[in-house]
Amino acid sequence: MLPSIRALLLAGSVWAVSPPAPAAAQTSKPTTPTAQPPASAPLAALFEAYSEEENRLFPFVAMQQGDNRYNDQLPNDQTRARRQQERDYYQRYLQQLRQIDRRRLGAVDQTSYDILAYTLTQRLNEYAFNNWLMPFNQFGGLPASLAQLGAGTGAQPFKTVPDYDHWLRRVGQFPVWADSAIANFRQGAKSGVTLPKAVVPKMVSQLRTLAQAGTDPAKSLFYGPVRNFPASFSAADKARLTPLFEQAIRRDLAASYQKLADFLETEYLPRARSSSGIGALPQGAARYANAVQVATTTTRTPEQIYQTGLTEVARIQARMEQVKAQTGFAGDLKAYFKYVDTDAQFRPFKTEQEVLDAFRAIQARIAPALPKLFSRTPNTAFEVRATEAFRAASASAQYNRGTADGSRPGIFYVPILDPLKYNTVANPAMETLFLHEAIPGHHYQVSLQQENTSLPRFRRFGRYGVFSEGWALYTESLGPELGVFQDPNQLMGHLGAELHRALRLVVDVGLHTGRLSREQAIAYMLDNEAITEQAATAEVERYMATPGQALSYKTGQLKLSELRARYEKQLGRKFDLRAFHDELLAGGAMPLAVLEKRMDAWAASVK
């Protein structure tokens, strides 16, 4: 799972609790970008100006790209002036783009034009809703992102003395941001735009954990850069920086986390809404319809998505009944779920390291088959790490992108609360999880996109969850072609993972249109898949906090599977699966309507 678009504007690579494993560089061929005609000069200049200004306005976006010019900045996006600045930026470039005659552009430039026009229009549409009155939640936002960055092993570099000074200046601006966030939370409480009451205690718990850094800075995760000073630093540099870091941890970080936690617990929680979905908020139906459009890049209504979910749930469960027979289990699906959850054979691990090594073994197993499905593979290195302790309890497995220049690897993070309880089939199945989060899922898609220098910068680093998550879910279905799912229990785990994404369509829409309460949604998931109550609760509360985001996975996967089936039928013997995959990934993430038009043109050229 990749973080949401807005969360990624703030997020950096994540710190691991245990010492990171040695980098396991992905054996690869150099990426050869699809040959593309040069863009028209005015359009290319507009694209470059847009990206340059984006990096200046959004320093976390710049840092993710390896542009470290703004690493000392922390824009206060909680202010009205800042929102107006961003809005003016989007409007200005949309107006400039519309002055260019799209009809006179080549096919590649038309695709880039369409993607940017869609992106800018979508972002401008979001200003119709005052979602800034809910500044962050238990699933993402700046408070968690700073913790991930400040540990010293993520996107924020700590290689030089100026790097350390940049971080100190950045976190020095966090107290003002926290005060502004509190002001927005207060305004939201007055106007009836609040987070669900059920998620606020989770936020308080996370914040209090981070606030403990102030009691002993040397034990704080924020102290990581001090514990790991580069060998090149002089004694004088270390002597100067150490007390400054201790002061920043106490004054700028711990005190701000404590203040946010106290506010949320004492003032905000009593005023948070008891409803589960945003349909209960002012502009509720329109607010959710916009969230659906952002997440799916389609014009499908919540009702249409809900019905698709029900259809997919029934289809996948029927297939699971067939595969269950191959396992030799005699009971019904619910009994099988309990069997998988409780039988010791599915919990073989004793240590965290054993879990991580099992994922690395999956990588080794699929490696020989990858050239049959892909002719282009990433140069970006790849690692598997454990999710850090402060967020592991509420985290899902997650991929954090590397940098195109190779200075930071792509990282697959695995939450391992207790290795003795880590289930090989029901977390979801380990083979499925690796295909999705790592290879050939997110790591291939993100890395190949970033490495394709023939794309304009906004496309190289652009993000559309419906494409990224749709691709990752689609790659799960490649398991048999990659030599995994030989064990029918692993195949059941794969189907269970797909079922989980189908259930999300039902639950997300159900929550936000008032069909389901939090408790009903949890019960629905428990009745229909192999999931613990704790995991179901965390999932449902995630959907409550991030409306629509969970719809992107299945929506994107269904479209990619539809396109593959269409071209297999149209092209017959001319259909080449490697060429199809390479073409899908060469263009990078984009809205589904733009993707379909582009891929239809590719198929026509092959035919």
Side-chain angles (χ1 to χ4, degrees):
M1 172 201 64
L2 285 168
S4 66
I5 293 172
R6 294 302 301 169
L8 279 165
L9 294 179
L10 299 173
S13 286
V14 188
W15 174 76
V17 179
S18 58
Q26 172 71 20
T27 302
S28 63
K29 304 172 186 176
T31 298
T32 305
T34 302
Q36 298 181 8
S40 65
L43 189 66
L46 185 149
F47 289 159
E48 185 57 28
Y50 170 78
S51 294
E52 188 67 14
E53 190 166 347
E54 180 181 48
N55 282 11
R56 181 173 58 80
L57 282 172
F58 302 101
F60 288 101
V61 170
M63 186 174 64
Q64 285 283 348
Q65 298 174 12
D67 179 354
N68 295 315
R69 290 176 293 170
Y70 312 107
N71 285 1
D72 61 339
Q73 297 179 23
L74 185 69
N76 189 352
D77 58 3
Q78 299 299 302
T79 67
R80 183 179 302 174
R82 170 68 183 194
R83 288 193 295 276
Q84 189 59 51
Q85 182 185 26
E86 294 176 8
R87 192 172 187 173
D88 291 345
Y89 160 67
Y90 298 136
Q91 186 65 58
R92 178 162 32 91
Y93 278 96
L94 183 59
Q95 290 172 348
Q96 292 178 26
L97 186 66
R98 286 173 173 164
Q99 291 171 7
I100 294 175
D101 188 349
R102 182 187 179 281
R103 296 169 299 179
R104 301 182 64 183
L105 300 173
V108 174
D109 289 343
Q110 285 185 343
T111 296
S112 297
Y113 181 107
D114 292 345
I115 294 171
L116 186 56
Y118 189 97
T119 299
L120 295 172
T121 302
Q122 183 186 78
R123 291 180 182 174
L124 285 166
N125 288 343
E126 290 189 60
Y127 287 98
F129 309 98
N130 51 3
N131 290 321
W132 58 82
L133 298 181
M134 300 174 284
F136 65 93
N137 54 56
Q138 87 285 8
F139 190 65
L142 184 62
S145 297
L146 282 184
Q148 296 165 20
L149 295 173
T153 56
Q156 183 90 26
F158 289 95
K159 298 177 181 178
T160 67
V161 171
D163 285 342
Y164 278 68
D165 288 322
H166 290 161
W167 172 251
L168 290 170
R169 285 197 288 274
R170 172 165 275 175
V171 298
Q173 301 163 68
F174 183 51
V176 173
W177 184 94
D179 286 342
S180 299
I182 287 172
N184 280 338
F185 274 127
R186 280 196 176 116
Q187 184 181 345
K190 291 179 182 177
S191 56
V193 180
T194 63
L195 290 167
K197 193 180 292 287
V199 309
V200 179
K202 309 295 193 302
M203 299 164 65
V204 172
S205 177
Q206 291 173 352
L207 292 166
R208 295 223 184 277
T209 298
L210 295 169
Q212 292 173 1
T215 59
D216 186 353
K219 295 181 180 178
S220 165
L221 63 87
F222 293 107
Y223 204 71
V226 176
R227 283 192 293 269
N228 298 292
F229 276 129
S232 59
F233 279 27
S234 68
D237 289 331
K238 295 176 184 177
R240 179 180 70 85
L241 290 169
T242 299
L244 291 176
F245 264 69
E246 291 174 349
Q247 180 185 53
I249 290 169
R250 287 194 181 98
R251 180 194 62 199
D252 301 325
L253 293 163
S256 297
Y257 285 123
Q258 187 67 47
K259 188 174 186 178
L260 286 166
D262 290 343
F263 163 77
L264 288 172
E265 186 170 45
T266 61
E267 184 176 335
Y268 191 76
L269 179 59
R271 305 176 70 181
R273 59 184 163 92
S274 58
S275 58
S276 300
I278 62 168
L281 296 180
Q283 300 177 281
R287 195 185 296 262
Y288 184 56
N290 179 73
V292 169
Q293 190 274 323
V294 168
T296 68
T297 68
T298 71
T299 57
R300 303 191 74 216
T301 66
E303 179 61 27
Q304 289 172 321
I305 291 172
Y306 184 84
Q307 293 302 324
T308 296
L310 293 176
T311 300
E312 282 292 282
V313 167
R315 178 188 66 81
I316 298 165
Q317 287 181 335
R319 173 62 176 146
M320 292 179 80
E321 289 285 1
Q322 296 172 347
V323 177
K324 177 171 64 66
Q326 300 173 24
T327 70
F329 186 82
D332 61 16
L333 275 179
K334 199 161 186 179
Y336 176 81
F337 296 156
K338 185 175 182 180
Y339 158 68
V340 164
D341 187 49
T342 57
D343 196 286
Q345 68 172 305
F346 302 116
R347 300 192 305 277
F349 305 115
K350 294 182 174 61
T351 67
E352 181 180 275
Q353 189 63 44
E354 288 179 355
V355 179
L356 299 178
D357 287 344
F359 279 111
R360 297 182 184 114
I362 294 170
Q363 180 180 353
R365 271 208 316 281
I366 68 172
L370 287 168
K372 299 176 184 177
L373 303 185
F374 302 90
S375 62
R376 299 178 187 138
T377 55
N379 295 315
T380 304
F382 168 78
E383 295 181 14
V384 182
R385 297 185 190 174
T387 304
E388 72 279 44
F390 84 89
R391 70 183 188 100
S394 60
S396 302
Q398 180 178 321
Y399 175 78
N400 278 26
R401 64 179 61 202
T403 50
D405 63 5
S407 61
R408 188 177 70 249
I411 302 170
F412 168 37
Y413 280 99
V414 185
I416 308 170
L417 294 175
D418 181 353
L420 296 175
K421 297 179 181 178
Y422 198 92
N423 195 301
T424 61
V425 174
N427 276 323
M430 295 181 74
E431 291 175 351
T432 299
L433 189 59
F434 187 86
L435 297 181
H436 181 111
E437 297 293 347
I439 296 170
H442 287 318
H443 182 64
Y444 267 33
Q445 186 267 309
V446 170
S447 299
L448 287 170
Q449 176 177 325
Q450 292 185 159
E451 293 171 13
N452 189 349
T453 55
S454 68
L455 296 175
R457 198 176 357 158
F458 83 92
R459 285 183 63 185
R460 283 183 68 199
F461 301 103
R463 298 164 183 193
Y464 271 97
V466 70
F467 180 92
S468 300
E469 298 297 353
W471 166 260
L473 184 53
Y474 164 79
T475 61
E476 294 179 19
S477 70
L478 302 178
E481 293 163 286
L482 290 169
V484 292
F485 304 162
Q486 301 299 312
D487 175 2
N489 288 303
Q490 285 288 331
L491 180 54
M492 282 291 285
H494 157 66
L495 291 169
E498 188 180 10
L499 175 64
H500 182 66
R501 277 41 170 259
L503 290 167
R504 283 175 169 176
L505 302 184
V506 178
V507 173
D508 195 279
V509 175
L511 285 167
H512 296 293
T513 58
R515 275 188 173 96
L516 296 173
S517 67
R518 170 182 174 274
E519 292 70 28
Q520 289 170 329
I522 293 170
Y524 177 75
M525 296 186 77
L526 289 172
D527 284 342
N528 284 280
E529 65 172 325
I531 192 170
T532 66
E533 185 172 358
Q534 179 187 17
T537 300
E539 284 285 314
V540 167
E541 290 179 350
R542 165 189 165 184
Y543 311 151
M544 290 164 62
T546 58
Q549 188 271 340
L551 306 177
S552 58
Y553 302 74
K554 197 69 176 140
T555 301
Q557 179 243 342
L558 287 171
K559 175 55 67 175
L560 296 184
S561 298
E562 174 196 324
L563 293 178
R564 175 175 169 173
R566 179 191 307 174
Y567 305 142
E568 285 176 333
K569 182 177 180 180
Q570 285 180 0
L571 301 178
R573 292 183 178 180
K574 288 187 176 182
F575 180 80
D576 182 333
L577 185 57
R578 294 202 313 172
F580 171 71
H581 289 156
D582 292 345
E583 188 66 22
L584 270 177
L585 297 181
M590 62 184 70
L592 293 185
V594 181
L595 174 71
E596 186 165 12
K597 186 187 303 182
R598 177 177 175 275
M599 293 303 294
D600 280 348
W602 166 80
S605 71
V606 173
K607 188 174 182 179

